[in-house]
């Protein structure tokens, strides 16, 4: 019998071992085929070609998805090889060489991979249209996706398949050539069991390491709250390194040390429930530290990515309105404004028109944090009373005082804490004299559209007249006539936006609310789709890895269940202890991952102007709900094992 024939026969007889790894491969190939189909879809391609940012986002997501697939497959393959370690040891025990065993595993791997590739492409083709439809709905695109089979996506998936097979084959060869017979036969035994108690020095060092893990995580959290400054890159790197290292130490040392401390306090009398929950965790925590750390970090990354993307999508209209308070505006273009008004009336579009008189000067806004900084800026002086008559809910500043309005205030300053910069003063120079005006505060929104240049300063009409009398005729002074429009109906707003485009002086950017809102919706919609897709891949990968490991542990604990059955314990009593164990196994990575993501989102919150509380709650809730499905599947598998043992 040849190696190839033996591999086929072994695959037929060991389906119970192969289905885990086979599922992992099918899932990986399906995910990549779906994403590649999106890249090659005609409607998506036309959108990608319209923006370099879209193309970069899709390419980056594709590369990240390949990394996820490789990590997922390697982890699944490692569990798969560990479950078959005794079989591989027997092959060598009867005289077969390591080279023969390696060839045997590689042939199996290629055959499994080919089957998974075909099944993955078929499954991916069946659901790919659904994902295209979801993307179109997010981007508010009309029509239905065409039903077709993407040959380019098939070719891309085949390349990823070859990459995965090569990497897993190398992993198998390393495992065979580096493992001894004793290691192969003991691979499935419970790790970390020691008959000798640790020495006093070892106990002290363990306690120090245990505290170090918590300290590193705490330092990462503390630094994340003040990382946005001139050393942003270095701070971000320190946060990542300290948090990831602290998480690894937490799982490898801290939690295990806490369990041993608890057992010592109970004088070793854990009881049935703790024996079925805490005892296995104590003995396996060190060996599971790598996978639990990976699951925690991926969970934190997933929740952070999805929340930030959803926040941008959720707040697209609100943030655009903060930047563009009026739907349309004209600056010193009365003829264009009259022509646009005529077109709106001709089309029967209901609109509100607000004219406004302001002026622009040059001046210096003092920075209390750096008194030597004297950057001259364009200042746009706006009358509060006129804005009130236009419907703005604002307060009129006191005579001689000003209030700045800027939707980009948080993005403009490195220190983020605006209270350090306000109140301050505005200095205006005329006829060789410098006059100062108090600038009381900054409000994070615009009074007029962002395409109107100049720092937007709100003052009373009396203050405005005084400044105008002093600065009129000086260099940098300019009268500004603003004609602004609002269209209440969203459908009429889309038509009005198309009419306005002929008056847009900059062909490379948009200067009306609706166009900017649509652009923000498309960008954030694409990003939330990519983040959700990658989040699904992260979630499925982490949940599956944890599920596979628990299935392996359930197989290893069969003898313990048999012993408990002989001692008179029933299924309900055993499952109660198992449920406590699974709560710790699944809740710990989830809880720590959510905690990491909350601090990560807090550090990155300056990117999003509006409140991210609702998107955060929804993202964490959805992730937790799907994550707990894997815990239920695991409990179901344990119940099945226990019932088989007791039958």
């Amino acid at each position: 019998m040849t190696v190839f024939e033996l591999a086929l026969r072994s695959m037929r007889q060991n389906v119970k071992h192969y289905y885990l790894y086979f599922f992992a491969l099918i899932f990986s190939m399906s995910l990549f085929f779906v994403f590649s189909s999106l890249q090659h879809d005609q409607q998506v391609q036309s959108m990608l070609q319209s923006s370099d940012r879209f193309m970069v986002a899709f390419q980056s997501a594709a590369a990240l998805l390949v990394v996820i697939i490789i990590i997922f497959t390697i982890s699944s393959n490692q569990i798969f090889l560990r479950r078959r370690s005794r079989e591989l040891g027997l092959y060598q025990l009867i005289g077969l060489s390591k080279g023969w065993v390696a060839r045997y595993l590689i042939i199996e791997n290629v055959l499994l991979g080919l089957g998974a590739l075909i099944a993955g492409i078929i499954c991916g083709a069946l659901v790919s249209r659904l994902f295209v439809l979801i993307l179109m709905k997010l981007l508010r695109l009309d029509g239905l996706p065409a039903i077709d089979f993407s040959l380019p996506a098939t070719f891309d998936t085949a390349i990823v398949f070859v990459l995965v097979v090569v990497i897993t084959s190398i992993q198998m060869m390393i495992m065979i050539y580096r493992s001894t017979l004793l290691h192969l036969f003991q691979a499935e035994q419970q790790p970390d069991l020691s008959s000798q108690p640790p020495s006093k020095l070892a106990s002290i060092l363990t306690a120090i390491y245990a505290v170090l893990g918590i300290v590193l995580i705490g330092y990462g959290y503390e630094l994340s709250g003040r990382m946005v400054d001139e050393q942003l890159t270095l701070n971000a790197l320190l946060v990542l390194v300290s948090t990831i290292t602290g998480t690894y130490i937490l799982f490898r040392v801290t939690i295990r040390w806490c369990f041993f401390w608890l057992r010592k306090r109970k004088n070793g009398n854990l009881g049935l429930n703790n024996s079925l929950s805490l005892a296995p965790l104590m003995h396996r925590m060190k060996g599971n530290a790598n996978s639990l750390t990976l699951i925690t970090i991926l969970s934190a990354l997933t929740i952070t990515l999805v929340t930030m993307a959803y926040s941008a999508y959720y707040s697209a209209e609100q943030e655009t309105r903060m930047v563009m308070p009026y739907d349309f505006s004209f600056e010193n273009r009365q003829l264009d404004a009259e022509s646009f008004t005529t077109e709106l009336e001709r089309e029967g579009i209901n609109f509100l028109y607000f004219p406004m008189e302001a002026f622009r000067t040059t001046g210096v806004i003092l920075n209390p944090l750096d008194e030597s900084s004297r950057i001259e800026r364009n200042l746009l002086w706006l009358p509060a009373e006129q804005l009130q008559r236009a419907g703005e809910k604002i307060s009129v500043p006191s005579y001689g005082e000003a209030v700045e309005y800027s939707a980009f205030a948080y993005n403009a300053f490195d220190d983020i804490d605006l209270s350090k910069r306000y109140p301050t003063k505005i200095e205006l120079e005329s006829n060789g004299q410098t006059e100062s005006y108090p600038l009381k505060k900054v409000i994070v929104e615009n009074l007029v559209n962002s395409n109107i240049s100049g720092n937007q300063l709100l003052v009373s009409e009396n203050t405005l007249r005084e400044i105008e009398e002093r600065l009129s005729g000086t260099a940098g002074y300019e009268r500004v006539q603003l004609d602004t429009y609002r269209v209440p109906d969203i459908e009429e707003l889309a038509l009005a936006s198309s009419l306005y485009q002929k008056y847009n002086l900059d062909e490379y950017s948009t200067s009306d609310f609706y166009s900017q809102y649509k652009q923000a919706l498309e960008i954030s919609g694409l990003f939330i789709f990519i983040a959700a897709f990658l989040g699904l891949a992260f979630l499925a990968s982490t949940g599956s890895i944890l599920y596979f490991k628990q299935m392996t542990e359930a197989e290893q604990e069969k003898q313990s269940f048999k012993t408990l059955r002989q001692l008179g314990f029933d299924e309900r009593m055993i499952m109660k202890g198992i449920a406590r164990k699974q709560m710790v196994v699944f809740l710990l990575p989830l809880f720590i991952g959510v905690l990491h993501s909350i601090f990560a989102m807090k550090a990155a919150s300056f990117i999003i102007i509006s409140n991210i509380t609702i998107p955060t709650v929804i993202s964490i809730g959805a992730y937790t709900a799907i994550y707990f499905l894997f815990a239920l599947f695991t409990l179901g598998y344990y119940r099945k094992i226990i019932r088989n043992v007791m039958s």
Side-chain angles (χ1 to χ4, degrees):
M1 183 178 294
T2 63
V3 179
F4 182 79
E5 293 171 338
L6 183 62
L8 287 176
R9 182 179 178 181
S10 177
M11 289 172 62
R12 289 194 297 268
Q13 294 179 350
N14 292 284
V15 176
K16 65 178 182 179
H17 292 303
Y18 287 108
Y19 79 94
L20 289 177
Y21 185 54
F22 194 57
F23 167 79
L25 288 175
I26 292 176
F27 177 77
S28 300
M29 295 302 105
S30 298
L31 271 181
F32 191 82
F33 181 85
V34 169
F35 198 81
S36 184
S37 296
L38 291 173
Q39 283 186 286
H40 296 289
D41 183 82
Q42 290 184 351
Q43 288 179 296
V44 177
Q45 275 192 332
S46 62
M47 183 179 60
L48 294 179
Q49 291 170 357
S50 65
S51 174
D52 293 337
R53 287 176 293 184
F54 287 177
M55 183 67 72
V56 171
F58 248 86
Q59 291 174 347
S60 301
L64 186 56
L65 184 58
V66 172
V67 173
I68 298 171
I69 290 172
I70 291 174
I71 293 174
F72 177 42
T73 310
I74 289 176
S75 301
S76 303
N77 190 36
Q78 185 177 9
I79 298 172
F80 168 69
L81 289 173
R82 186 172 182 177
R83 294 189 66 178
R84 295 187 62 198
S85 58
R86 183 175 294 273
E87 174 195 344
L88 301 178
L90 287 174
Y91 288 142
Q92 296 185 41
L93 192 63
I94 62 176
L96 297 174
S97 66
K98 290 187 175 183
W100 187 95
V101 177
R103 289 196 303 273
Y104 166 71
L105 286 179
I106 290 173
I107 290 174
E108 280 189 351
N109 192 36
V110 172
L111 292 176
L112 279 172
L114 285 173
L117 176 64
I118 296 172
I121 290 175
I122 293 173
C123 294
L126 292 175
V127 300
S128 60
R129 295 301 91 191
L130 173 63
F131 282 91
V132 174
L133 182 61
I134 293 173
L135 178 59
M136 292 175 62
K137 293 298 182 183
L138 283 173
L139 302 181
R140 311 285 175 89
L141 299 176
D142 298 327
L144 294 174
I147 301 177
D148 58 0
F149 183 80
S150 177
L151 290 177
T154 305
F155 179 74
D156 292 344
T157 308
I159 294 176
V160 175
F161 157 73
V162 172
L163 179 63
V164 168
V165 168
V166 169
I167 292 176
T168 52
S169 297
I170 294 173
Q171 182 186 12
M172 290 174 176
M173 292 176 64
I174 293 174
M175 182 264 191
I176 293 298
Y177 281 101
R178 293 184 61 181
S179 299
T180 62
L181 273 176
L182 182 62
H183 179 268
L184 289 173
F185 280 104
Q186 293 181 343
E188 289 191 309
Q189 295 182 6
Q190 291 188 6
D192 301 336
L193 292 173
S194 176
S195 58
Q196 298 294 330
S199 64
K200 187 174 182 180
L201 178 60
S203 299
I204 294 175
L205 290 176
T206 301
I208 293 174
Y209 277 121
V211 175
L212 179 62
I214 299 176
V215 169
L216 284 174
I217 293 177
Y219 171 72
Y221 287 171
E222 190 274 333
L223 182 58
S224 68
R226 54 181 178 84
M227 61 183 287
V228 184
D229 56 24
E230 62 276 2
Q231 295 182 329
L232 175 61
T233 303
L234 177 60
N235 290 340
L237 184 61
L238 287 174
V239 168
L240 284 175
V241 171
S242 62
T243 304
I244 294 174
T245 305
T247 303
Y248 177 75
I249 296 175
L250 184 73
F251 283 115
R252 186 174 177 86
V253 181
T254 308
I255 296 174
R256 185 165 173 260
W257 178 75
C258 291
F259 288 155
F260 276 99
W261 178 79
L262 178 63
R263 186 178 69 174
K264 185 177 180 180
R265 286 202 62 184
K266 292 179 175 289
N267 295 320
N269 300 317
L270 293 176
L272 174 63
N273 289 333
N274 287 334
S275 296
L276 289 172
S277 56
L278 296 184
L281 289 172
M282 285 189 291
H283 300 312
R284 297 181 186 275
M285 189 60 71
K286 184 177 179 181
N288 292 340
N290 291 339
S291 59
L292 291 177
T293 302
L294 177 65
I295 290 168
T296 301
I297 298 303
L298 290 181
S299 296
L301 179 61
T302 300
I303 295 173
T304 303
L305 283 176
V306 173
T307 300
M308 295 305 294
Y310 181 48
S311 298
Y313 185 80
Y314 178 83
S315 60
E317 182 176 3
Q318 180 183 353
E319 291 196 10
T320 306
R321 183 57 76 186
M322 292 175 70
V323 175
M324 309 285 288
Y326 296 99
D327 293 323
F328 312 99
S329 64
F330 294 90
E331 177 187 347
N332 294 333
R333 295 162 60 193
Q334 287 184 290
L335 293 179
D336 287 343
E338 292 173 1
S339 177
F340 182 62
T341 302
T342 302
E343 289 196 63
L344 292 177
E345 293 172 344
R346 185 188 306 122
E347 295 292 338
I349 297 174
N350 182 33
F351 65 94
L352 301 174
Y353 169 68
F354 308 105
M356 191 184 315
E357 292 184 358
F359 62 85
R360 189 181 290 115
T361 67
T362 58
V364 175
I365 298 179
L366 299 180
N367 181 4
L369 301 177
D370 184 5
E371 296 181 359
S372 63
S373 175
R374 299 183 59 83
I375 302 175
E376 195 170 65
R377 311 166 185 264
N378 283 329
L379 306 178
L380 181 66
W381 300 87
L382 298 165
E385 289 84 353
Q386 290 188 37
L387 286 165
Q388 281 184 334
R389 289 192 290 271
E392 296 292 338
K393 297 179 180 180
I394 56 175
S395 300
V396 179
S398 302
Y399 177 75
E401 295 181 351
V403 176
E404 184 176 3
Y405 281 73
S406 174
F408 306 107
Y410 281 119
N411 292 335
F413 304 135
D414 292 334
D415 56 79
I416 300 304
D417 188 359
L418 300 178
S419 63
K420 296 179 181 179
R421 294 178 176 262
Y422 295 89
T424 184
K425 293 183 179 180
I426 306 170
E427 291 189 350
L428 302 177
E429 186 174 344
S430 63
N431 301 321
Q433 295 182 345
T434 300
E435 187 73 23
S436 296
Y437 292 88
L439 180 55
K440 304 299 292 182
K441 59 182 178 180
V442 63
I443 296 177
V444 188
E445 62 178 279
N446 283 351
L447 285 173
V448 294
N449 290 3
S450 59
N451 59 303
I452 309 298
S453 65
N455 289 53
Q456 299 177 16
L457 302 174
L458 181 70
V459 293
S460 64
E461 287 187 337
N462 291 335
T463 305
L464 192 75
R465 282 193 291 269
E466 178 192 326
I467 297 174
E468 186 176 17
E469 289 176 2
R470 179 176 290 109
L471 296 180
S472 59
T474 62
Y477 172 84
E478 179 187 8
R479 291 190 62 84
V480 176
Q481 171 67 38
L482 296 177
D483 297 280
T484 63
Y485 300 81
R486 283 180 178 152
V487 178
D489 187 84
I490 187 66
E491 293 184 0
E492 292 184 341
L493 180 59
L495 175 59
S497 178
S498 64
L499 298 175
Y500 181 78
Q501 294 310 310
K502 69 178 69 174
Y503 303 101
N504 186 13
L505 299 179
D506 190 349
E507 59 179 322
Y508 299 104
S509 65
T510 57
S511 57
D512 67 291
F513 166 79
Y514 183 78
S515 297
Q516 285 207 13
Y517 167 62
K518 287 287 289 182
Q519 187 178 44
L521 199 66
E522 288 182 358
I523 295 173
S524 59
L526 178 64
F527 286 155
I528 191 177
F529 178 82
I530 291 175
F533 194 92
L534 293 177
L536 178 63
F538 278 131
L539 178 57
S541 301
T542 55
S544 297
I545 291 171
L546 202 51
Y547 175 59
F548 293 165
K549 290 185 73 68
Q550 292 307 301
M551 290 177 69
T552 302
E553 292 182 12
E555 295 286 343
Q556 295 171 356
E557 294 170 3
K558 279 184 178 180
Q559 186 58 46
S560 300
F561 300 148
K562 288 181 181 179
T563 303
L564 291 173
R565 176 69 180 92
Q566 293 169 354
L567 293 174
F569 294 98
D570 58 19
E571 176 188 329
R572 183 186 62 81
M573 298 171 67
I574 298 175
M575 282 302 301
K576 186 177 180 180
I578 296 299
R580 291 182 63 179
K581 173 191 172 184
Q582 297 309 314
M583 284 183 64
V584 175
V585 169
F586 281 88
L587 281 179
L588 267 179
L590 177 63
F591 174 76
I592 298 173
V594 169
L595 203 59
H596 287 354
S597 67
I598 289 174
F599 279 91
M601 288 181 290
K602 183 180 178 181
S605 60
F606 70 95
I607 300 175
I608 307 296
I609 300 176
S610 57
N611 194 299
I612 64 172
T613 303
I614 294 178
T616 300
V617 172
I618 293 175
S619 300
I620 293 176
Y623 185 91
T624 302
I626 300 174
Y627 185 85
F628 266 96
L629 290 177
F630 290 98
L632 295 177
F633 293 154
T634 303
L635 287 175
Y637 188 82
Y638 263 98
R639 189 181 298 277
K640 178 182 176 182
I641 292 292
I642 293 171
R643 286 178 178 175
N644 289 338
V645 168
M646 291 185 170
S647 60

